[in-house]
Amino acid sequence: MTYQPCSDRYKTMEYRRCGNSGIKLSAISLGLWHNFGDVNDFENSRNLVKTAFDNGITHFDLANNYGPPPGSAEANFGKILKQDFRGYRDEMIISSKAGYTMWDGPYGDWGSKKYLISSLDQSLKRMKLDYVDIFYHHRPDPETPLEETMAALDLIVRQGKALYVGISNYNAEDTIKAISILNKLGTPCLIHQPKYSMFVRDPENGLLAVLEKERVGCIPFSPLAQGLLSDKYLNGIPNDSRVATSGIFLNENHITAEKIAKISKLNDLAKQRGQKLAHMALAWLLRDARITSVLIGSSKSEQIIDAIQSLKNTQFSTEELVLINSILNN
Ligand SMILES: NC(=O)c1ccc[n+]([C@@H]2O[C@H](COP(=O)([O-])OP(=O)(O)OC[C@H]3O[C@@H](n4cnc5c(N)ncnc54)[C@H](OP(=O)(O)O)[C@@H]3O)[C@@H](O)[C@H]2O)c1
């Protein structure tokens, strides 16, 4: 049957302006790092995208290497777009990235013009798209001149293969340099994608201040610390969890007694706020006006619905914020 998106999909979602740009992003965005590869159930992947779109999520984040195998998340997303979203491309913000190892040899990794241009061409073919909305350099390259990498992003926009560009995993210092080069080239940096959650606070050490000053958007990835910031690991490792099913980027060694003690205290506070811990973890990021959107992952449709619940309460009292910091720092 032909998919008909929910007609009131834009009623409850919040849309936030991305830095100093014309683009607004849904406060919750869906990332396709896990659960969209050839190793996953395609019908489940398809339902995840539909559930997200039905609930007002407009932004879908990919990268050349998402899978496994690398590239398969883009190919599967392309299939989903073709099957279900034919008339809806203009309602979606689709991003991809290059920067991590993608193919053998010296031209399939890091930040050369050669790699970025050819990788995006491959991504567009896999997704069967003419352009992506946002193209990111996925991680800084210590060897390639930043001028070359940023010039490649600028060229990609001028070629019409991306509408906007962003950077990911860049520290504050390199971010200032990248923004300045892009400004001179006339292709402003739309957005930065850092790892940021209650458990990973690095962006607070300068990066967020830079983004605020430069009026560049911010979309934290792994806002639930890959699922740790939920109640799911409190009583062991469920069979359907990322630790049990993937175990590559999140494994048993990450679930220490010390972490569980913190998660348990955070869970108690969330309950006092009338939220689940997953809601509170997303709300805690979204309370900050510098955050454009939080980039979640999801293995089940219910988790997407759940994430949206976090928007009901993104206010925190000073006492709550102090308590959260004391739980995290002890
Ligand atoms: N730029 C970069 O370098 C970079 C790096 C990593 C990720 N990203 C982007 O960020 C996106 C999100 O990353 P992530 O998947 O690590 O995000 P996350 O939101 O921190 O973790 C998502 C995982 O947590 C679990 N989960 C989600 N909602 C839950 C809930 N309500 N209750 C309990 N568990 C829940 C699910 O795993 P299970 O159900 O399987 O346990 C889900 O797949 C990626 O898809 C990608 O687009 C970017």
Side-chain angles (χ1 to χ4, degrees):
M1 232 178 59
T2 315
Y3 163 64
Q4 273 305 114
C6 183
S7 58
D8 58 3
R9 59 190 176 278
Y10 293 119
K11 295 219 171 101
T12 47
M13 178 54 69
E14 181 189 332
Y15 297 91
R16 296 185 172 195
R17 187 163 300 281
C18 191
N20 181 32
S21 79
I23 283 295
K24 287 182 180 177
L25 295 182
S26 44
I28 313 280
S29 300
L30 181 65
L32 280 69
W33 180 33
H34 283 72
N35 307 303
F36 288 84
D38 283 349
V39 296
N40 302 108
D41 172 14
F42 177 74
E43 284 309 314
N44 185 54
S45 308
R46 194 176 170 194
N47 278 330
L48 293 174
V49 179
K50 288 183 193 171
T51 302
F53 196 66
D54 278 339
N55 286 281
I57 291 178
T58 52
H59 179 27
F60 299 88
D61 180 73
L62 295 103
N64 55 355
N65 58 342
Y66 291 175
S72 62
E74 287 183 331
N76 287 322
F77 185 62
K79 256 165 75 180
I80 295 167
L81 288 178
K82 195 168 171 210
Q83 286 179 3
D84 301 311
F85 290 89
R86 266 178 187 272
Y88 298 96
R89 173 67 182 96
D90 295 343
E91 294 184 43
M92 300 173 127
I93 297 287
I94 298 168
S95 57
S96 190
K97 321 181 189 79
Y100 285 96
T101 311
M102 190 55 194
W103 62 86
D104 288 345
Y107 318 119
D109 203 348
W110 294 107
S112 69
K113 183 175 182 177
K114 168 83 175 162
Y115 172 45
L116 296 192
I117 303 288
S118 47
S119 179
L120 177 55
D121 283 346
Q122 292 179 22
S123 291
L124 292 174
K125 277 197 193 108
R126 281 191 289 266
M127 292 189 279
K128 300 184 179 63
L129 291 175
D130 299 327
Y131 69 96
V132 289
D133 297 281
I134 308 171
F135 186 66
Y136 287 93
H137 187 221
H138 210 159
R139 62 166 165 176
D141 178 347
E143 292 182 4
T144 300
L146 194 54
E147 287 75 10
E148 175 174 334
T149 307
M150 294 305 117
L153 295 184
D154 172 65
L155 178 62
I156 279 164
V157 169
R158 289 179 197 281
Q159 289 177 330
K161 292 175 186 167
L163 301 184
Y164 301 91
V165 297
I167 52 177
S168 180
N169 298 305
Y170 276 55
N171 65 23
E173 201 184 325
D174 289 341
T175 297
I176 294 174
K177 291 181 194 155
I179 290 172
S180 160
I181 297 168
L182 284 171
N183 280 341
K184 283 189 194 125
L185 290 167
T187 296
C189 182
L190 177 78
I191 194 162
H192 190 301
Q193 191 178 122
K195 189 181 204 175
Y196 186 27
S197 70
M198 280 179 170
F199 280 152
V200 179
R201 307 276 294 263
D202 305 314
E204 292 168 15
N205 303 325
L207 179 65
L208 286 173
V210 169
L211 299 179
E212 182 176 25
K213 180 166 175 281
E214 301 292 337
R215 300 183 69 197
V216 169
C218 180
I219 180 163
F221 72 79
S222 298
L224 298 175
Q226 300 195 56
L228 282 179
L229 285 164
S230 75
D231 55 11
K232 79 180 327 155
Y233 294 108
L234 280 176
N235 301 306
I237 298 171
N239 287 336
D240 62 351
S241 64
R242 184 173 291 186
V243 169
T245 58
S246 171
I248 303 169
F249 297 96
L250 185 70
N251 58 50
E252 287 182 29
N253 298 331
H254 294 107
I255 308 180
T256 58
E258 194 197 344
K259 266 252 149 77
I260 290 293
K262 288 181 183 183
I263 294 167
S264 179
K265 285 182 193 157
L266 292 171
N267 194 45
D268 290 343
L269 175 61
K271 278 191 199 152
Q272 284 169 32
R273 285 169 49 85
Q275 290 182 312
K276 288 186 183 177
L277 174 51
H279 303 157
M280 184 174 85
L282 299 178
W284 180 83
L285 288 168
L286 288 166
R287 82 186 193 286
D288 186 334
R290 296 172 295 188
I291 303 301
T292 315
S293 178
V294 287
L295 180 48
I296 62 161
S298 186
S299 65
K300 298 170 192 63
S301 288
E302 305 86 83
Q303 292 173 347
I304 295 174
I305 311 277
D306 216 22
I308 292 166
Q309 301 301 313
S310 65
L311 298 175
K312 286 189 180 155
N313 181 10
T314 56
Q315 302 296 316
F316 287 78
S317 68
T318 309
E319 292 74 26
E320 285 173 332
L321 292 174
V322 169
L323 179 57
I324 288 169
N325 281 344
S326 79
I327 292 170
L328 293 169
N329 294 330
N330 278 323

